[in-house]
Amino acid sequence: MNVITITPAATLPVSLAATKLYMDLRHSEFDSILEESIRAAVSIVEQTLELAVMQRTLEAKLDDWPASRVIELPYAPLVSVSSVKYVVDGVEQTIASSNYTTVIQDRGRGFVAAKFGYLWPSIDNEPEVIRIRYVVGLASDPANVPYDITQTIKEVAHRLFDTRGNINPNDIKRYAVQSLADYRVWRF
């Protein structure tokens, strides 16, 4: 499954000003480096936890329907599914939402499941002919991001900034997992 971003998050979960305050950094000489560190910190936290902090629209692309009739969507928490589309005979079709169910489980793990009695339709034998567009994210406004997540992002950004990226990535990931274990999305 390939996942692409259709609409990125409108803003970062922590601002440059808030991170500078956290770091007790009073000058703007290295603002561009710190902004890169914040972006990298957000990426590390999200990838490590399989969690989208700020809301965004994603599209999952599949080559075939799963035998189980259930499709698990990467990244959590799932907010909504916009569409399920497929290609047959070179023409894109949309599956009516009445034919599938959106399931949101613990920690926001999201699934699309064919309703009882509905069979996924035939598709072309081509790559990525199934496209599921969906919205994920904890918050649409940075003010609504949980405190411990913003603090962890600031700390990871601080560590990246101080070392200018010359740090073992596993140490950063381990810190993020330990700090935010309650938010991690576990896949089985």
Side-chain angles (χ1 to χ4, degrees):
M1 180 181 309
N2 183 24
V3 179
I4 62 169
T5 300
I6 300 299
T7 307
T11 185
L12 290 169
V14 298
S15 68
L16 176 63
T19 306
K20 287 174 73 170
L21 182 64
Y22 175 83
M23 294 172 56
D24 195 29
L25 192 61
R26 294 187 174 95
H27 55 81
S28 58
E29 181 180 355
F30 299 108
D31 281 2
S32 62
I33 295 170
L34 183 54
E35 284 176 342
E36 289 176 23
S37 297
I38 294 167
R39 289 185 193 288
V42 171
S43 179
I44 288 168
V45 167
E46 289 185 336
Q47 288 176 12
T48 301
L49 302 177
E50 293 189 43
L51 173 85
V53 178
M54 299 303 297
Q55 283 188 4
R56 71 211 53 187
T57 302
L58 302 177
E59 186 172 84
K61 298 180 178 188
L62 295 85
D63 297 337
D64 203 356
W65 299 111
S68 68
R69 299 169 34 107
V70 176
I71 303 166
E72 183 172 5
L73 300 171
Y75 286 94
L78 178 64
V79 175
S80 64
V81 172
S82 307
S83 64
V84 178
K85 297 183 178 193
Y86 64 99
V87 177
V88 64
D89 297 328
V91 179
E92 185 175 78
Q93 307 286 328
T94 301
I95 296 177
S97 59
S98 59
N99 290 324
Y100 63 86
T101 301
T102 300
V103 179
I104 301 174
Q105 290 188 342
D106 62 323
R107 299 181 191 231
R109 288 175 56 216
F111 302 84
V112 172
K115 285 196 174 174
F116 183 74
Y118 180 77
L119 299 175
W120 294 123
S122 297
I123 55 173
D124 287 353
N125 188 19
E126 298 289 332
E128 300 181 344
V129 292
I130 302 163
R131 295 180 195 93
I132 304 170
R133 194 165 287 193
Y134 59 105
V135 177
V136 295
L138 281 173
S140 57
D141 182 342
N144 297 328
V145 175
Y147 177 79
D148 45 351
I149 291 178
T150 60
Q151 290 305 103
T152 300
I153 290 170
K154 289 178 203 173
E155 180 58 30
V156 170
H158 187 185
R159 291 179 185 196
L160 291 170
F161 178 82
D162 281 350
T163 62
R164 297 302 194 267
N166 189 18
I167 190 168
N168 184 338
N170 291 327
D171 292 341
I172 293 290
K173 289 178 182 177
R174 192 173 4 275
Y175 171 76
V177 167
Q178 289 170 347
S179 300
L180 300 172
D182 289 344
Y183 295 96
R184 185 158 191 199
V185 178
W186 298 98
R187 304 211 181 273
F188 301 101

